[in-house]
Amino acid sequence: MTKPARITIPTEPIGSIPRPVDLIARVAERDSDDPSLAPLYEAAIRDTIERFEATGSPVVTDGEQKKRRGFADYCVHGLPNTAPDGFMIPFADGHTRRLSRLTRGPFRYTHYADSYLDVAMRYAHVPVKQAVIAPSALSLMYPAETIRDYSREQFIDDLLREHETEIRRCLKKGAHKVQVDFTEGRLSLKIDPSGHLLHSFIDLNNLSLSRFSPDERSHIGVHTCPGNDLYSTHSADIDYAELLPGLFELKAGNFYIALAGERDRRHVLKVIRTHLKPHHRIFVGVIAPIDPHIETPEEVRDRVLEASEYIPVEQLGTTDDCGFAPFMDNTSTSRDTAFAKIRARVLGTALAETLIGAHS
Ligand SMILES: [Zn+2]
């Protein structure tokens, strides 16, 4: 009798881990690029990767310890031709976050994410993934009125070139995956229920993704979520049925979909089953960073088994619904809680893997 092939369900984090509180306090006091902060950043990254690896996570990140301000505009931090009063993200609890606004041309990145990868890979013993921000999010930096001598078309050209450069640099340095953060996808349906804005975002992101080969795209993924900041969301009331058909048109091989915090997971899984494509790997969220409760491995196992009823197991993976602190100053979740949740994801995914393997 031949032994059945071992089932593997890959599991990956999204990205951010809450920064140490002393680092947040020091960054708040001075410019976050102040060279005197370098040892603090370095210590935070080293500690993050050690604790990440201790969870058993087969893929780690640097916890985005050095992404200034957060996941969205780290790449333009310090860019002189910006103002802080850009696009506003409204959260359900009433608080808001703002992106930077471009005041004149040209648009350039000040930081490419591969610089974070350099440091992380010095400390890591397992593969490291890297999250980058989607062009669609940064496109919101261009104001409604045209900037003199710098058209929107010129801006989009510069933006796509910078984004492509960032992904290529991360792939070249050996990122396990490059994950494009696309939280504004679901939010766009709240701003524009017609779906016009969503489809313009998808078209824009595909202009960039189509520059990559199918092999490169198998290392590129897209993350969608309803937002996650200070225990609040920005678009949890938008039905995934409105988003996922368009989302799966993105030319990426991997999708990281927040699911654990959804009110009706089976409804979402049915939508995924209807629209996923054969070359997609779907990493479903089995941990809810927005929920203070630390999931047990058994809860995670059951969520994976549930997902496997809808998604072919060779296309299934697990992840967290979102990062644990997408914005740098967020201390609502402790580092201890974040790593305990990640450990549950790793253990619970392994439990499901064994069960599914035994029945296949
Ligand atoms: Zn997210």
Side-chain angles (χ1 to χ4, degrees):
M1 228 172 83
T2 52
K3 243 177 108 184
R6 207 180 112 69
I7 299 288
T8 307
I9 300 175
T11 188
E12 296 181 13
I14 291 297
S16 61
I17 297 290
R19 285 67 165 175
V21 284
D22 57 335
L23 175 66
I24 295 172
R26 288 283 298 278
V27 168
E29 272 167 24
R30 59 191 70 207
D31 183 276
S32 63
D33 277 331
D34 186 323
S36 74
L37 293 173
L40 275 180
Y41 280 124
E42 194 85 6
I45 294 165
R46 193 180 56 235
D47 183 66
T48 299
I49 289 178
E50 270 176 26
R51 297 191 64 183
F52 231 128
E53 291 187 346
T55 67
S57 189
V59 178
V60 300
T61 71
D62 70 346
E64 305 188 353
Q65 305 296 287
K66 263 188 110 169
K67 273 192 178 172
R68 277 78 164 184
R69 294 186 57 197
F71 74 102
D73 48 10
Y74 66 90
C75 55
V76 293
H77 178 79
L79 190 68
N81 47 332
T82 57
D85 59 344
F87 179 80
M88 197 156 70
I89 308 169
F91 284 84
D93 66 355
H95 89 279
T96 59
R97 292 282 192 175
R98 290 199 94 142
L99 302 180
S100 309
R101 173 175 61 88
L102 195 68
T103 54
R104 57 189 156 78
F107 174 83
R108 295 285 182 269
Y109 278 19
T110 52
H111 300 79
Y112 295 103
D114 66 294
S115 62
Y116 311 135
L117 206 51
D118 285 335
V119 183
M121 289 176 88
R122 277 212 312 271
Y123 294 114
H125 305 86
V126 298
V128 182
K129 80 181 273 191
Q130 183 62 53
V132 301
I133 189 63
S136 48
L138 294 174
S139 73
L140 297 167
M141 286 181 66
Y142 195 92
E145 65 282 5
T146 302
I147 295 176
R148 197 157 56 88
D149 301 328
Y150 191 61
S151 68
R152 194 177 161 81
E153 289 68 29
Q154 283 173 288
F155 164 70
I156 295 295
D157 277 355
D158 286 339
L159 168 60
L160 290 174
R161 192 193 54 251
E162 291 288 56
H163 176 69
E164 180 190 359
T165 301
E166 181 175 53
I167 292 185
R168 289 203 185 282
R169 288 169 70 138
C170 292
L171 289 174
K172 199 168 164 203
K173 288 187 177 165
H176 177 68
K177 294 278 179 53
V178 180
Q179 171 189 287
V180 179
D181 285 337
F182 185 47
T183 185
E184 68 282 9
R186 199 163 167 184
L187 177 63
S188 75
L189 288 162
K190 189 138 184 151
I191 300 167
D192 175 12
S194 78
H196 183 79
L197 183 61
L198 172 66
H199 287 281
S200 72
F201 281 173
I202 288 167
D203 290 347
L204 177 65
N205 292 338
N206 269 341
L207 284 176
S208 146
L209 291 165
S210 60
R211 298 178 182 184
F212 294 91
S213 69
D215 180 54
E216 287 166 332
R217 283 182 223 152
S218 72
H219 297 279
I220 298 174
V222 175
H223 166 54
T224 182
C225 69
N228 169 35
D229 188 38
L230 307 174
Y231 293 122
S232 189
T233 55
H234 51 53
S235 53
D237 50 343
I238 296 292
D239 189 336
Y240 263 129
E242 303 293 315
L243 173 70
L244 293 181
L247 187 86
F248 289 147
E249 294 301 321
L250 286 167
K251 297 179 190 301
N254 306 278
F255 291 86
Y256 301 87
I257 301 177
L259 181 64
E262 290 297 308
R263 273 192 299 272
D264 185 352
R265 287 195 303 270
R266 285 186 184 272
H267 164 67
V268 181
L269 286 163
K270 281 178 198 159
V271 179
I272 294 174
R273 178 173 63 191
T274 306
H275 294 281
L276 93 171
K277 298 183 179 178
H279 63 283
H280 289 166
R281 172 77 74 170
I282 309 291
F283 291 80
V284 294
V286 291
I287 295 289
I290 204 155
D291 183 354
H293 160 70
I294 295 168
E295 290 84 351
T296 64
E298 290 73 23
E299 282 170 323
V300 170
R301 175 199 63 200
D302 293 346
R303 288 173 187 176
V304 183
L305 294 176
E306 179 184 73
S308 73
E309 293 175 35
Y310 299 87
I311 301 171
V313 71
E314 60 278 9
Q315 288 181 260
L316 181 62
T318 65
T319 185
D320 309 312
D321 272 7
C322 194
F324 290 90
F327 294 92
M328 183 179 243
D329 60 6
N330 185 347
T331 54
S332 58
T333 301
S334 71
R335 285 167 73 80
D336 287 349
T337 298
F339 286 118
K341 282 173 163 272
I342 289 170
R343 179 184 291 275
R345 167 167 57 77
V346 173
L347 292 173
T349 302
L351 288 175
E353 215 171 54
T354 308
L355 277 176
I356 294 169
H359 289 98
S360 62

